[in-house]
Amino acid sequence: MKIVIVGGVAGGASAAARARRLSEEAEIIVFERGPDPSFANCGLPYYIGGEIAERDKLLVAPKQMLIDRHRLDVRTLQSVESIDRQRKTVTVKNLADGSTYGESYDKLILSPGASPLRPPILGIDLDGIYTLRDLRDADRLHEVALHAKRAVVVGGGFIGLEMAENLVRRGVHTAVVELADQVLPPWDREMTTPIAEHLRANGVELILADSAAEFVAAERGLVVKLKSGRELPADLVVLSVGVRPENALATAAGLEVGPRGGIRVNEHMQTTDPDIYAVGDAAEVKDFNTGDRTQIPLAGPANRQGRIAADHIFGRDSTYRGTQGTAVVGVFGMTAAMTGLSEKVLERIGRKYETIYLHPSHHAGYYPGAEKMSLKLLFDPQDGAILGAQAVGRDGVDKRIDVLAMAIQGRMTVFDLEEAELAYAPQYGSAKDPVNMAGLIAAGVVRGDVRIAHADALSKLAAEGGQLLDVRSPQEFACGSIPGAVNIPVETLRDRLAELDRTKPIVAYCQVGQRGYLAARILMQAGYDVANLSGGYSTYCQMTH
Ligand code: FAD
């Protein structure tokens, strides 16, 4: 068996190593256009910022190790230029000397990745405008960041924010320009407001709902002209506005690609030619949540797909379940993570859902160092199926989203979250972990124990002459409240029921939703029409920020 692999990083290197573990006899050739195989793309921003001090650390599996340990024929600086499907050969260009030659294959695996988008903005080809994909890009940015004073990052996705943090770490004044009215566009907006505040607090100039309209060369560096008319001087610009699957080889060979450019594959990662597989960012995937075909460029999926392709070549029935979109990003010590469907996607596809918010501590409140996180759970209001989750905070955010990601993969419900048995000691969690709490709250909603309301329902409540009830302490109320609210602390509520109009709807709220829930239960049992504002005043502030 002769296997030829195009691309020697996440998907390609995984496929090659797996293939060798399955067959000592196979001939395995890995073509990599760049100088290094198997480098850590995800670590590049941290090398630029100096957090990863040694460049060598980014070489996860150096070429010699792949040769010695896995007996792979790794050919760097060699670009696969075309595929002849009839003859089952590829044409390869040796970038070191410009020569070309042919190589035959029994099975071909394409893992060429995705290239950063360079939108057709005036001046886009000027010096000083960078994208970040590989070590050579990182070397360039590493060098210029050492001398730059001002940078503009175009795009507030996870690579853009990681770059902003690392440029600031280098002492470069950094502005992030994002077209959407939020950072991290895949997340729901209210879950990103703490990240936006945190970026600003750490010196990032965040410009939302605006875009780069033109780049102009200046006496020193560049000027980025924004659509709004603002002009930002910059010594360097980093473009991080998304990626496009590298499908040129595939399309030239007549393989099918999807509407977003991803190479079409089946569940074994086989393209429309059964002898050619495609994995990683270049491949179209099934959205685990909706079943639709989509593009979700992430390292974990690329690694798993590489392994599945190799398995299938050697007769194993491995199948790819689909990509769920589990992602995490950290900036200046704050973390945002998500898995599954967001509210905006659920709205777009018209699927019924309910949402709850909570703000638990990441470990027992009495143990030193407890920090609040915000957690949002999306679920089916009828059967409680978990549809998605997002969280923002500091420690422990990644762990909760990972647990919820597994719950989604296991097609679990909010009732399973109530029962989930999770590791607990005071310095790690709580006897009722945030994941259990999310389950308890959501299950209560599905069972009808309490009705919940969200901030967007408050204007309707006001129009209907309803009552907004703040059940926190007078001191908390004085520090900030929702306009129109009356304050009756939950501790006195049972004695002051007569102050509320039994004929009008009530929305009760507290700081995070817990006392609001208690108040709602008291009022429900006393015959009032009441809902609890999910996530309380904390979520209200995130939503209206
Ligand atoms: P790649 O890893 O990009 O590898 C493709 C390789 O193929 C390239 O090296 C390319 O040179 C080579 N190639 C292309 N065409 C040819 C050809 N014709 N001949 C020979 N070689 C060719 N994902 C996460 O999940 N978490 C993160 O934190 C994260 N951070 C990231 C940070 C940065 C800066 C970047 C750029 C990406 C990050 N990603 C992250 C995304 C992740 O790196 C990709 O999803 C993953 O690397 C995709 O793997 P791949 O094998 O499809 O492509």
Side-chain angles (χ1 to χ4, degrees):
M1 171 72 75
K2 182 172 176 184
I3 302 172
V4 165
I5 300 175
V6 181
V9 190
S14 297
R18 177 66 172 167
R20 172 58 72 230
R21 288 194 294 275
L22 295 177
S23 168
E24 276 295 308
E25 278 75 47
E27 184 184 353
I28 304 168
I29 306 175
V30 180
F31 288 109
E32 170 51 53
R33 195 168 53 190
D36 303 291
S38 201
F39 62 89
N41 330 43
C42 311
L44 300 178
Y46 302 94
Y47 168 62
I48 295 164
E51 184 79 4
I52 299 175
E54 293 164 56
R55 187 183 185 277
D56 280 0
K57 297 272 186 217
L58 296 170
L59 304 174
V60 182
K63 181 173 174 178
Q64 202 53 47
M65 181 190 140
L66 293 174
I67 295 170
D68 295 343
R69 193 173 290 176
H70 299 292
R71 290 285 185 273
L72 300 174
D73 181 352
V74 181
R75 303 189 196 172
T76 49
L77 292 173
Q78 313 232 358
S79 171
V80 174
E81 302 284 292
S82 63
I83 305 167
D84 184 332
R85 288 168 53 196
Q86 264 66 48
R87 290 209 174 92
K88 295 181 76 172
T89 58
V90 292
T91 307
V92 184
K93 184 171 184 181
N94 183 334
L95 301 177
D97 60 14
S99 62
T100 55
Y101 62 97
E103 195 66 68
S104 65
Y105 65 82
D106 295 317
K107 301 287 178 187
L108 177 64
I109 301 178
L110 303 177
S111 188
S115 50
L117 288 171
R118 287 184 80 89
I121 301 171
L122 271 176
I124 189 89
D125 294 323
L126 286 170
D127 282 350
I129 302 176
Y130 301 86
T131 53
L132 177 60
R133 177 179 182 183
D134 57 28
L135 270 166
R136 286 166 298 180
D137 299 333
D139 287 335
R140 281 190 280 270
L141 279 162
H142 187 270
E143 175 60 26
V144 292
L146 289 178
H147 311 291
K149 297 258 179 304
R150 303 183 72 92
V152 173
V153 174
V154 181
F158 74 85
I159 295 178
L161 297 193
E162 288 175 357
M163 275 310 302
E165 175 183 18
N166 282 289
L167 288 167
V168 169
R169 193 177 276 150
R170 284 278 183 216
V172 183
H173 176 275
T174 304
V176 174
V177 181
E178 166 56 51
L179 181 66
D181 65 349
Q182 64 168 88
V183 291
L184 299 173
W187 274 252
D188 290 323
R189 186 181 178 281
E190 74 281 9
M191 299 306 288
T192 65
T193 54
I195 292 280
E197 271 173 28
H198 193 62
L199 284 164
R200 289 188 169 117
N202 281 279
V204 175
E205 187 181 350
L206 202 54
I207 302 167
L208 301 175
D210 207 343
S211 56
E214 186 178 354
F215 302 106
V216 185
E219 206 174 305
R220 189 177 176 279
L222 296 157
V223 170
V224 184
K225 292 190 174 182
L226 303 186
K227 200 170 167 214
S228 62
R230 274 187 77 175
E231 297 194 354
L232 306 172
D235 302 318
L236 76 133
V237 171
V238 182
L239 286 176
S240 54
V241 292
V243 295
R244 176 187 291 127
E246 286 225 18
N247 63 15
L249 272 179
T251 46
L255 301 175
E256 211 176 300
V257 300
R260 297 175 67 183
I263 305 168
R264 188 144 282 175
V265 289
N266 65 14
E267 58 187 353
H268 305 299
M269 309 312 297
Q270 273 170 309
T271 65
T272 38
D273 178 335
D275 291 324
I276 305 179
Y277 294 72
V279 302
D281 291 358
E284 192 182 53
V285 289
K286 185 178 82 174
D287 183 321
F288 178 84
N289 312 289
T290 61
D292 296 340
R293 293 171 196 235
T294 186
Q295 294 299 132
I296 306 180
L298 288 169
N303 277 276
R304 295 201 301 283
Q305 292 162 13
R307 183 185 161 94
I308 286 165
D311 273 3
H312 194 252
I313 286 171
F314 289 102
R316 298 201 177 193
D317 192 28
S318 300
T319 55
Y320 188 62
R321 293 183 191 180
T323 303
Q324 196 175 315
T326 307
V328 62
V329 60
V331 278
F332 302 107
M334 185 171 259
T335 305
M338 71 174 289
T339 186
L341 295 168
S342 63
E343 186 162 4
K344 60 179 103 167
V345 170
L346 286 161
E347 284 286 337
R348 197 179 68 225
I349 65 176
R351 183 161 183 345
K352 275 214 161 89
Y353 67 93
E354 183 52 280
T355 308
I356 55 116
Y357 296 89
L358 60 160
H359 303 271
S361 295
H362 87 286
H363 64 48
Y366 62 81
Y367 189 84
E371 279 163 337
K372 289 258 179 255
M373 68 173 77
S374 298
L375 180 55
K376 173 178 186 175
L377 187 72
L378 299 131
F379 54 97
D380 185 298
Q382 246 82 51
D383 63 13
I386 307 160
L387 304 174
Q390 300 176 23
V392 59
R394 287 176 179 268
D395 287 347
V397 162
D398 51 339
K399 160 166 128 167
R400 274 55 188 226
I401 291 299
D402 277 347
V403 170
L404 292 165
M406 286 309 298
I408 292 175
Q409 269 203 36
R411 309 274 184 209
M412 289 185 178
T413 67
V414 297
F415 307 109
D416 295 306
L417 300 185
E418 287 185 295
E419 296 301 323
E421 185 177 315
L422 302 167
Y424 162 61
Q427 67 270 46
Y428 298 108
S430 299
K432 267 190 213 155
D433 189 86
V435 169
N436 297 126
M437 287 306 303
L440 288 161
I441 297 168
V445 173
V446 177
R447 289 192 191 103
D449 292 344
V450 69
R451 280 197 304 114
I452 53 168
H454 298 294
D456 55 6
L458 296 183
S459 47
K460 186 164 170 258
L461 180 83
E464 286 171 354
Q467 305 156 94
L468 187 56
L469 174 64
D470 187 320
V471 298
R472 298 173 301 164
S473 68
Q475 292 81 354
E476 289 172 287
F477 186 70
C479 288
S481 64
I482 304 178
V486 294
N487 181 218
I488 304 179
V490 68
E491 293 78 10
T492 61
L493 184 60
R494 292 178 183 87
D495 303 323
R496 295 174 61 184
L497 289 178
E499 293 174 36
L500 295 165
D501 185 343
R502 206 178 280 272
T503 66
K504 298 270 171 62
I506 299 171
V507 170
Y509 75 90
C510 62
Q511 192 63 26
V512 296
Q514 204 174 11
R515 284 170 288 169
Y517 168 55
L518 182 55
R521 290 296 304 163
I522 293 169
L523 291 167
M524 274 173 82
Q525 292 178 64
Y528 288 81
D529 170 8
V530 60
N532 179 26
L533 186 69
S534 186
Y537 188 60
S538 296
T539 297
Y540 172 83
C541 290
Q542 276 176 237
M543 286 207 173
T544 54
H545 187 80

